[in-house]
Amino acid sequence: MRPLPVLLALLGLAGSAPADSPSRSELVELGHRCQQRAEQLRGIRAGKPIRWQVADRQQIRAYVLKVLERQYRPGELQAEGLTFRALDLLPADLEYDKFVVDLMTEQIGGVYDPVEEIFYLADWIPPGMQETIIVHEVTHALQDQAYGIDDFLERLRGNSDAMAARAAVVEGEATLVMLEDALRQAGTPLGLEQIELSLRGMQLMTLLSSIAFPSFARAPRALRQSLLFPYLQGLRFVVAARRRGGWKIMDRVYASLPASSEQVLHPEKYFDRPDPPTPIEQPGLPGLAGRDWRLVNSDVLGEFGMDLLLEQLPEQERRRAAAGWDGDRLWVFARGDLLAWVSLSVWDSPADAIQFAGALARTVRERRPGARAEPIGPTPRMVWRLPGDRVIWIERRRQRVAVVFALERAAARAIISDFFRAIIEK
Ligand SMILES: [Zn+2]
């Protein structure tokens, strides 16, 4: 759910030994060379000088903190952690905000700051990797000069899904330029078609990176997947874009960014048969949760987030269940140590809605082993009883699915009937 301004272990960096520090003039020369290659590959000339500098671990950490402070208001990062936890995607004892800073600092090879218009190269990057990372970061600087990326990389409050889609454009493009440059330098240039094919082997990269980075390896699967999304899925998206209209098509992409992870995962839903997400607004919902429940977050999971939510299931099943997504909203509530959530979603067809509701139902036993299923009633409704009169309630009508997870039964009833009112009254 969180896009990170980092170039990570895409190429399996070892990331421990500091590089021999090159002299000032060597660095200038290095930057110049990389800039020319990136400009040529991407077909954009820098209109003004690109600033950059080498940074040590402490400076990178300070930068990470600065970015987080810029993007998150006080309490928002904790709310994001509570959201992951409410969805059973984080262990209860993980200190999310601290972990995020460690993870980001460790993963960084280089980072472009669109506000200050400068990029930093981590000083622990081995010499053989420096050029690759500089090419990636220079591409961000070129994007920024051509399209002004700082505006749309502002965190979108309440829609992490749209945010991940935007990050995927920016990171996918920089990663593709980087990859093409690395292949050329190695004397093995590949066409887009071949790159597309080789992307299927990306699982291997994920594996490599988890070996090379301790925090990354320790990170819960949902965090790792969120971290990789803009790079891997973004790369596939930008390859798909270029195969349709060369680099020129990116002008159009930047003018009208994909609005959901669905469009990134299925580029045809962006380019060929546009399928914009259905927004779900239910302003009265927080009031229905019941007294004492405090709303801690409201967000959009998107197709990618729905896939994460179903992590108890095998990959194929997860993918299929998430694939009919058309829109959703999630609300997370806290009362003392208790967490609960509500999700309202719309699917492409009733069959897609049935598939998702069924898939989620199959995760209940693992999420709450003590939950007791109640007999299925006359509507497509599944209810499990939890301690303290709380319930897990999944209900599907037409192509909509409502989920109330661990609120009291009366609240669940009110939320469900409110969401389906329009359908019931017809
Ligand atoms: Zn990047």
Side-chain angles (χ1 to χ4, degrees):
M1 273 170 241
R2 57 186 356 277
L4 300 175
V6 297
L7 165 64
L8 43 100
L10 199 56
L11 298 160
L13 299 180
S16 50
D20 288 341
S21 30
S23 73
R24 172 104 202 118
S25 62
E26 278 169 340
L27 280 178
V28 171
E29 172 51 31
L30 186 65
H32 199 66
R33 241 185 1 248
C34 292
Q35 182 177 332
Q36 279 180 330
R37 286 179 355 221
E39 285 177 336
Q40 204 237 331
L41 274 166
R42 178 56 185 85
I44 297 178
R45 289 244 167 277
K48 54 184 170 184
I50 293 173
R51 296 190 301 136
W52 67 288
Q53 68 184 55
V54 176
D56 62 22
R57 211 169 276 277
Q58 232 174 343
Q59 290 168 308
I60 295 273
R61 196 175 173 87
Y63 173 76
V64 166
L65 290 171
K66 194 168 84 178
V67 168
L68 290 174
E69 238 166 69
R70 212 188 266 153
Q71 300 210 326
Y72 290 81
R73 295 182 190 137
E76 285 183 339
L77 194 59
Q78 288 85 342
E80 195 174 273
L82 284 177
T83 302
F84 275 113
R85 232 171 74 200
L87 300 177
D88 301 309
L89 298 173
L90 282 194
D93 58 350
L94 188 125
E95 249 184 279
Y96 182 73
D97 35 345
K98 188 181 168 299
F99 192 76
V100 163
V101 175
D102 287 349
L103 193 60
M104 286 176 75
T105 308
E106 183 184 80
Q107 296 300 121
I108 277 175
V111 56
Y112 177 71
D113 178 348
V115 174
E116 312 272 344
E117 299 185 354
I118 184 170
F119 75 81
Y120 304 98
L121 177 72
D123 72 352
W124 59 85
I125 298 307
M129 286 299 304
Q130 284 172 340
E131 295 194 21
T132 309
I133 291 169
I134 293 173
V135 166
H136 180 100
E137 303 307 334
V138 162
T139 306
H140 285 322
L142 295 175
Q143 292 167 331
D144 198 19
Q145 290 192 12
Y147 307 108
I149 58 175
D150 52 335
D151 282 348
F152 62 77
L153 285 185
E154 277 292 300
R155 202 165 80 86
L156 287 171
R157 294 209 150 63
N159 197 341
S160 307
D161 183 51
M163 192 64 231
R166 292 173 175 200
V169 171
V170 173
E171 293 304 345
E173 185 178 53
T175 302
L176 181 54
V177 172
M178 173 192 89
L179 192 63
E180 289 191 298
D181 178 67
L183 291 167
R184 246 189 225 194
Q185 295 302 308
T188 52
L190 292 182
L192 284 177
E193 209 167 328
Q194 291 161 299
I195 289 179
E196 207 165 42
L197 275 175
S198 65
L199 284 179
R200 297 196 186 139
M202 275 297 181
Q203 304 296 5
L204 183 68
M205 299 289 190
T206 315
L207 190 72
L208 277 178
S209 60
S210 66
I211 296 165
F213 295 94
S215 291
F216 192 78
R218 274 193 294 118
R221 183 185 159 274
L223 281 187
R224 288 203 308 264
Q225 294 297 110
S226 306
L227 192 72
L228 289 169
F229 179 86
Y231 300 91
L232 300 191
Q233 301 306 330
L235 181 54
R236 289 183 53 236
F237 178 83
V238 176
V239 168
R242 265 182 66 197
R243 291 189 59 158
R244 283 170 170 82
W247 282 121
K248 187 81 198 115
I249 204 170
M250 294 307 286
D251 293 352
R252 202 182 111 198
V253 174
Y254 279 104
S256 167
L257 293 157
S260 70
S261 57
E262 178 191 41
Q263 294 190 310
V264 173
L265 290 164
H266 311 279
E268 70 280 5
K269 294 191 175 188
Y270 175 81
F271 292 106
D272 312 329
R273 288 171 280 109
D275 181 5
T278 300
I280 297 208
E281 309 293 344
Q282 205 81 351
L285 191 132
L288 299 175
R291 280 195 304 147
D292 310 335
W293 286 102
R294 177 173 62 89
L295 178 70
V296 290
N297 201 9
S298 163
D299 205 349
V300 176
L301 284 176
E303 177 174 337
F304 174 66
M306 289 295 185
D307 183 310
L308 294 182
L309 176 67
L310 299 172
E311 80 168 359
Q312 292 83 359
L313 302 178
E315 185 175 342
Q316 287 297 324
E317 204 179 332
R318 244 174 30 225
R319 288 253 166 95
R320 261 203 313 274
W325 181 90
D326 192 49
D328 79 277
R329 182 152 289 282
L330 170 80
W331 292 263
V332 177
F333 298 92
R335 185 173 71 197
D337 288 340
L338 292 176
L339 290 169
W341 52 273
V342 174
S343 156
L344 304 179
S345 53
V346 184
W347 300 80
D348 288 333
S349 68
D352 288 310
I354 290 171
Q355 195 168 41
F356 168 71
L360 185 64
R362 284 193 290 284
T363 70
V364 168
R365 192 192 292 263
E366 200 174 319
R367 287 174 193 274
R368 296 291 180 278
R372 280 195 297 151
E374 295 182 354
I376 294 174
T379 50
R381 170 186 297 168
M382 293 169 277
V383 179
W384 292 259
R385 221 173 310 161
L386 298 173
D389 193 38
R390 294 186 299 141
V391 291
I392 297 170
W393 188 319
I394 303 175
E395 184 155 337
R396 197 257 335 154
R397 288 178 191 248
R398 302 214 182 128
Q399 57 214 62
R400 294 171 159 228
V401 177
V403 183
V404 178
F405 198 97
L407 286 175
E408 276 78 16
R409 185 182 295 267
R413 202 182 303 269
I415 288 168
I416 299 282
S417 66
D418 192 52
F419 183 51
F420 291 123
R421 179 165 301 145
I423 291 179
I424 295 165
E425 279 169 2
K426 262 179 204 161

